[in-house]
Amino acid sequence: MWSRLSFGVLLIAGMLAITTTGWSAESISNQRAAELRHMVLQDCGSCHGLTLKGGLGPALTPQAIGDKPKDAMLATVLHGRPGTPMPPWSNLLSREEARWIIELLYRGVDE
């Protein structure tokens, strides 16, 4: 019972840490932003479609993801989705970079 309670407390604390941190991407340089945008189009696009309108993975257009919580998107990008082809990207992206990508997706890559 205590292990479940401890896990629950840690899970809630982690969720609070994610939701209470801002979504600012000010520390992303212009060069890194260009690299991340390229990565979204090429790497994400290889499964989500080169126009991000869907493929093996679901569409990542602003219309398709607009109703999804950003925190859930952040968790998916960083940790993947077990049992699906969606891999975790936490070994290649910082939390700040993942946030920047999510903001890009919500605005639209072509903006």
Side-chain angles (χ1 to χ4, degrees):
M1 175 169 155
W2 285 109
S3 63
R4 286 185 188 170
L5 181 60
S6 298
F7 177 74
V9 169
L10 288 173
L11 182 62
I12 291 170
M15 290 171 62
L16 286 174
I18 290 173
T19 59
T20 57
T21 54
W23 281 89
S24 171
E26 294 174 15
S27 64
I28 303 293
S29 70
N30 289 340
Q31 178 180 347
R32 185 60 177 152
E35 293 167 353
L36 292 173
R37 185 178 181 285
H38 180 77
M39 187 184 90
V40 166
L41 293 172
Q42 297 301 308
D43 293 314
C44 301
S46 68
C47 288
H48 294 278
L50 294 178
T51 60
L52 302 179
K53 292 180 181 173
L56 174 65
L60 295 177
T61 62
Q63 300 79 15
I65 64 170
D67 63 338
K68 302 202 176 8
K70 289 180 181 179
D71 296 333
M73 297 289 290
L74 178 65
T76 297
V77 169
L78 291 175
H79 306 295
R81 290 208 169 184
T84 75
M86 178 64 190
W89 289 89
S90 59
N91 60 338
L92 297 172
L93 296 171
S94 70
R95 183 174 297 276
E96 186 68 21
E97 290 169 335
R99 284 188 189 123
W100 187 92
I101 288 171
I102 291 164
E103 285 297 327
L104 175 69
L105 294 173
Y106 275 79
R107 284 191 316 268
V109 176
D110 295 328
E111 295 297 314

